Amino acid sequence: RKKYGTLAAPELLIPIGSSGTSLGGSNLATVKGIDAMYWNPAGLAEISSNSGEVMFSSMNYLADIKMNYFAGAVRLPGLGSVGGSLRAMSFGEELVTTEYAPDGTGAKFAPTYIVGTLSFARAMTDKIHFGTNVKLISEQIADVSATGFAFDFGLQYLAGASGLRFGIALKNLGSSMKFNGPGLDRSFIEN
């Protein structure tokens, strides 16, 4: 039996970066640098520059949804690589409708989804890279909101001189989310 309404934070499934998107996510073993923060955080251990990397993306998604993404990462000698990102989605303004005003009350609201991520990756040996993300998720729709957190874990294995690589990522493991707020309160008028 399927449970309806149990999917939280669907914005986490919208891909970031053209390379991984064009490959359909099949780059878990080969992704490196700042792109790895979304696909497989273990790849963040291979930042291409000692000075770090920065990425900004702005995208018009389906149904006029706008998504802005900013990320930065730096290698810390002797420790590993650390990074952070912020993803914001806006849906534009929507009319407030009720049971008594199905065409709108004249008021408007603007749903907003924000995801902040902190990342850490390290080359455990010359062949094994490990990485993790911690995500804070905030969703707001009219007078209701939900917050939660999620974790990603990634591993890459470099098989030596052959150039063969293996990668695995467990993504979006986290808490349940529940919308709360005054927008869920209902008062009924009895005749």
Side-chain angles (χ1 to χ4, degrees):
R1 172 175 107 135
K2 291 183 179 181
K3 293 183 179 181
Y4 295 101
T6 59
L7 175 65
E11 67 272 18
L12 296 176
L13 302 178
I14 298 172
I16 301 292
S18 58
S19 177
T21 303
S22 66
L23 291 169
S26 64
N27 60 338
L28 295 180
T30 59
V31 66
K32 298 177 186 177
I34 203 161
D35 279 342
M37 288 174 64
Y38 176 80
W39 298 102
N40 184 348
L44 187 62
E46 293 187 64
I47 290 182
S48 61
S49 168
N50 285 333
S51 60
E53 295 181 16
V54 176
M55 176 182 185
F56 177 74
S57 172
S58 183
M59 174 175 65
N60 289 327
Y61 199 59
L62 304 171
D64 293 329
I65 298 171
K66 293 183 178 31
M67 185 175 77
N68 293 314
Y69 178 79
F70 177 77
V74 66
R75 181 182 304 158
L76 301 175
L79 180 64
S81 299
V82 294
S85 70
L86 187 63
R87 177 195 306 216
M89 293 182 66
S90 61
F91 299 82
E93 290 187 333
E94 301 290 333
L95 289 173
V96 174
T97 59
T98 67
E99 298 89 351
Y100 305 108
D103 293 327
T105 63
K108 295 183 179 181
F109 68 96
T112 305
Y113 292 180
I114 297 174
V115 179
T117 304
L118 292 175
S119 303
F120 174 76
R122 181 179 172 100
M124 306 304 274
T125 68
D126 61 335
K127 295 184 180 188
I128 299 173
H129 297 165
F130 172 78
T132 187
N133 292 331
V134 178
K135 301 175 186 176
L136 180 61
I137 305 156
S138 173
E139 298 180 351
Q140 183 173 358
I141 302 173
D143 292 333
V144 297
S145 61
T147 58
F149 61 89
F151 296 96
D152 298 341
F153 300 98
L155 187 68
Q156 290 179 334
Y157 176 73
L158 293 66
S162 67
L164 190 60
R165 299 172 66 112
F166 299 94
I168 187 169
L170 298 172
K171 296 172 62 171
N172 304 322
L173 304 169
S175 65
S176 61
M177 295 177 64
K178 183 177 180 181
F179 279 96
N180 288 309
L184 296 175
D185 296 336
R186 282 296 188 235
S187 59
F188 295 98
I189 302 171
E190 294 186 23
N191 292 331

